[in-house]
Amino acid sequence: MNNVLGATLLLFMSLPAVAADCISYKDVDRLGERFEQTAIAQSYELKNGFNDAISSVWIREGYYAVLSTDLKFQGTKIHLYGSGMSFTKDAWQFDKGQSADAGTWYNLVPFSFNDTATSVLCLKLP
């Protein structure tokens, strides 16, 4: 095996698999610092610099995330699905997410949700 192929194979084998079901990013286009979650049955109040600082999210296929503007899921909410569907303001939408890495990612600007989330819930679809 040549050195380039061997180094590439070694690098690929050393990359960790994504264990998260939902990932929140501080910047659009899945850039910047990230906060990873696995599916849970309780909400997570964003802290440590992520409160009111999320600009994009990724959700694994078969899961969904609920983002809320206030603590304890008060205020405005948005539901984002790993299948590319979203639910906001009493309407289903299928045009704001992009497929990637066995899930869907969303920039939150088109939802008027950029830098406003305080609570995030990540759940597996039944």
Side-chain angles (χ1 to χ4, degrees), residues 21-92:
D21 301 315
C22 302
I23 304 174
S24 301
Y25 297 86
K26 281 194 172 182
D27 298 325
V28 297
D29 299 331
R30 298 191 315 165
L31 298 173
E33 290 181 67
R34 63 194 228 174
F35 173 74
E36 298 184 6
Q37 287 181 274
T38 55
I40 57 172
Q42 61 190 23
S43 70
Y44 185 86
E45 311 301 333
L46 294 169
K47 299 175 185 165
N48 301 326
F50 281 87
N51 183 35
D52 294 339
I54 296 173
S55 294
S56 59
V57 295
W58 172 86
I59 299 105
R60 182 182 304 283
E61 179 75 35
Y63 294 79
Y64 69 102
V66 183
L67 285 71
S68 176
T69 56
D70 298 324
L71 293 172
K72 299 182 181 177
F73 279 87
Q74 301 299 308
T76 305
K77 295 172 193 62
I78 185 171
H79 298 71
L80 302 171
Y81 293 78
S83 63
M85 296 290 293
S86 62
F87 185 80
T88 182
K89 299 179 184 174
D90 300 321
W92 285 100

Side-chain angles (χ1 to χ4, degrees), residues 10 12 16 32 57 69 79 101 108 120 122:
L10 181 59
F12 176 74
V57 295
T69 56
H79 298 71
D101 304 323
L108 298 180
V120 176
C122 181

